[in-house]
Amino acid sequence: MSTLKNIYNTKEYKRSRTAYALQCTFEYFVMLLVADAFLANLLTNMGISDALTGIISSFISFAFLFQLMSIFLVTKIKNTKKTVIILNCLSQFLFMTMYLVPFMPFSKGIKTALVICAILFAYISNYTVSGVLFKWANSFVAPTKRAEYSAGKEMVSLLSGIVFTLIIGHIIDRYNDVGNVEGGFLFIAAAMLILNICNFISLMLIKKDSIVMEEEQTEDTPSFSEVIKNTLGNKSFVSVVIMTVMWYAARYMTLGFLGTFKTKDLLISVGMVQVINIAGQLARFAISKPFGRFSDKTSFATGIRWAFIIEAAAYLACMFTTTKTWWLIIIYTVLYNVSMAGSNQNSFNIVYSYVDSKYIVQAMAIKNSIGGICGFLVSLLGGKILAAVQNNGNSLFGLHIYGQQFLSAISLVILATTVAYVHFVIEKQKVKIR
């Protein structure tokens, strides 16, 4: 036990943890450039409708389905580090190509298809190995420090992300102001290429294997039936999957449609959207460490329940956001980001509470893929609801209302139900592994 405890303080383990934190930061930067106002700006300038923009924005949830591939991939991988680097960097490259599509000599329909393919396959490539990457890189973290380390890693991404989005948002607004929208797209593509290189270097600096992974490699590879028995055959884990489905349903009913709501309906500039996002990220930064310590002290389930309560409050604010009360989108953004300080880290770590480390990759793949496909299907429904409200002149039941307001109300109801489920079911379960 003493030897295992001391190994986490070795130079290689410390370097690996630092490199993983940096890798998450560079990957986070790329994700910022393919989400919210940046993605909405690209798709809107390509003439893509609000409803389709929202669905494309929600492809992340559909791509989670491909995490199921890792159930079979994990037993075939001979070199974890090499496999992760290839697929992760391929993902970053595909995201970059999205911003080159507008320059291609094709029709609008073909360009739309290319953007959809680029973002879809980028997410597929990323999430096929995301569980493998998480288990590999997280194996250099002491088990009793997982939530706190996740919080610290997140704080690095958030703080640097604030500066990053402020600069990029300002630059894109300058390009838009002078009518050179395409120049802005080229700038983002170049930035993403540089980030991909940094991402690659960071992954290379992580040690090939930890002592935990080396021990697991000496054990027999679990059969498919054994994996199913220890995941879907585990009632405690199944309850986590149900929670994830409900949470994703609440999130993707609304999230993918707010980018165009901010820029087209509320008439907020891309730069201003980033300033608002920065306010939210600062709030998330301030609460991340305390949230992590709280979760380590109590439980991941308790931490995630409080995160859901805060997220529900965010949807409540969004329900009442109009052109006259546009400032409520700031309240929404701050509350949503604060909730992410708890839900993001705990949604990963909670699997450790009920599943043996031997099946972590498979369990995460099952949880995220089931939740993801449900989230994507809900986003399709959300797109239809939004289109129906907009086609009716932003009117519902005789009231003037934006579709995003109605979607937020639905998300609030779903998430309130999820909070009750976590409290009365998951928090009552015995934590098998901590």
Side-chain angles (χ1 to χ4, degrees):
M1 176 65 75
S2 179
T3 302
L4 183 60
K5 182 178 180 180
N6 292 335
I7 199 169
Y8 291 106
N9 293 320
T10 61
K11 184 177 180 181
E12 285 187 316
Y13 274 57
K14 289 181 178 179
R15 185 197 67 204
S16 296
R17 291 197 294 271
T18 300
Y20 182 38
L22 290 173
Q23 185 274 328
C24 288
T25 298
F26 296 131
E27 187 175 63
Y28 175 64
F29 287 174
V30 172
M31 293 304 180
L32 288 174
L33 296 176
V34 293
D36 201 47
F38 289 115
L39 181 60
N41 185 50
L42 172 66
L43 301 181
T44 298
N45 278 282
M46 290 179 61
I48 297 175
S49 68
D50 290 0
L52 184 54
T53 294
I55 292 171
I56 293 174
S57 299
S58 300
F59 272 174
I60 182 174
S61 61
F62 176 75
F64 275 135
L65 176 64
F66 290 86
Q67 277 200 13
L68 287 175
M69 294 175 61
S70 64
I71 294 178
F72 307 98
L73 181 65
V74 72
T75 62
K76 305 295 183 182
I77 294 177
K78 301 299 181 182
N79 188 322
T80 298
K81 183 172 183 176
K82 182 178 180 180
T83 303
V84 167
I85 289 176
I86 291 173
L87 291 180
N88 184 271
C89 291
L90 174 61
S91 170
Q92 310 302 303
F93 175 78
L94 289 172
F95 278 132
M96 181 193 72
T97 62
M98 288 171 52
Y99 284 93
L100 299 178
V101 170
F103 302 95
M104 297 180 182
F106 302 123
S107 65
K108 173 186 171 182
I110 294 178
K111 287 182 178 180
T112 300
L114 287 173
V115 166
I116 291 175
C117 287
I119 194 169
L120 180 59
F121 284 105
Y123 277 128
I124 289 173
S125 180
N126 185 294
Y127 287 109
T128 295
V129 293
S130 63
V132 179
L133 168 59
F134 177 78
K135 182 180 179 181
W136 166 48
N138 218 46
S139 67
F140 298 98
V141 182
T144 56
K145 298 290 184 179
R146 283 174 182 149
E148 187 174 348
Y149 171 76
S150 296
K153 177 164 59 70
E154 187 174 77
M155 290 170 71
V156 172
S157 297
L158 289 172
L159 191 59
S160 53
I162 288 172
V163 178
F164 179 79
T165 52
L166 184 61
I167 294 174
I168 298 296
H170 175 71
I171 292 174
I172 297 305
D173 276 345
R174 290 293 298 271
Y175 274 110
N176 290 343
D177 290 342
V178 298
N180 187 14
V181 178
E182 291 79 8
F185 295 157
L186 283 176
F187 176 81
I188 291 179
M192 292 175 81
L193 177 61
I194 294 172
L195 290 171
N196 196 3
I197 294 172
C198 294
N199 180 73
F200 170 77
I201 294 173
S202 299
L203 288 171
M204 287 294 293
L205 289 173
I206 301 176
K207 191 175 184 294
K208 183 179 179 181
D209 290 309
S210 66
I211 189 171
V212 174
M213 294 191 69
E214 288 174 350
E215 290 176 351
E216 289 183 357
Q217 287 171 5
T218 63
E219 300 175 359
D220 293 333
T221 301
S223 63
F224 181 75
S225 60
E226 186 181 351
V227 169
I228 296 300
K229 179 182 178 181
N230 288 276
T231 52
L232 294 179
N234 178 343
K235 291 183 179 180
S236 295
F237 172 69
V238 169
S239 68
V240 173
V241 174
I242 294 173
M243 175 203 73
T244 303
V245 168
M246 298 169 72
W247 176 36
Y248 279 25
R251 171 173 290 187
Y252 290 105
M253 174 61 72
T254 301
L255 187 62
F257 306 99
L258 292 181
T260 53
F261 182 51
K262 297 171 186 175
T263 56
K264 293 183 66 175
D265 296 308
L266 302 182
L267 302 177
I268 303 175
S269 69
V270 173
M272 185 59 183
V273 168
Q274 298 316 310
V275 171
I276 294 173
N277 287 341
I278 286 172
Q281 290 160 1
L282 282 172
R284 181 176 174 180
F285 175 84
I287 204 70
S288 284
K289 205 75 169 183
F291 226 134
R293 288 171 180 163
F294 173 75
S295 298
D296 275 329
K297 184 178 180 180
T298 55
S299 71
F300 299 133
T302 301
I304 206 167
R305 173 169 60 86
W306 279 103
F308 288 168
I309 291 172
I310 297 170
E311 186 174 340
Y315 293 127
L316 180 62
C318 201
M319 281 174 56
F320 296 97
T321 302
T322 65
T323 51
K324 293 182 178 179
T325 59
W326 68 269
W327 51 271
L328 281 174
I329 203 68
I330 302 175
I331 304 299
Y332 161 82
T333 303
V334 170
L335 289 174
Y336 182 80
N337 275 274
V338 167
S339 75
M340 287 291 286
S343 60
N344 193 49
Q345 59 198 20
N346 286 314
S347 65
F348 282 100
N349 289 322
I350 196 171
V351 181
Y352 282 107
S353 295
Y354 308 109
V355 179
D356 189 280
S357 176
K358 188 177 181 180
Y359 310 101
I360 286 294
V361 173
Q362 296 93 328
M364 289 181 62
I366 292 171
K367 175 181 74 72
N368 292 336
S369 59
I370 293 176
I373 191 61
C374 290
F376 179 71
L377 293 175
V378 167
S379 75
L380 295 179
L381 175 61
K384 289 184 178 295
I385 293 174
L386 177 63
V389 174
Q390 290 181 334
N391 292 336
N392 197 39
N394 285 324
S395 178
L396 185 66
F397 307 127
L399 299 174
H400 178 72
I401 186 174
Y402 292 105
Q404 288 88 344
Q405 289 179 283
F406 185 59
L407 294 178
S408 296
I410 298 175
S411 293
L412 174 60
V413 173
I414 297 173
L415 202 56
T417 305
T418 309
V419 169
Y421 182 78
V422 173
H423 180 64
F424 291 108
V425 178
I426 297 181
E427 286 188 81
K428 305 300 182 183
Q429 295 174 167
K430 182 180 179 181
V431 176
K432 296 182 179 181
I433 299 168
R434 194 70 169 86

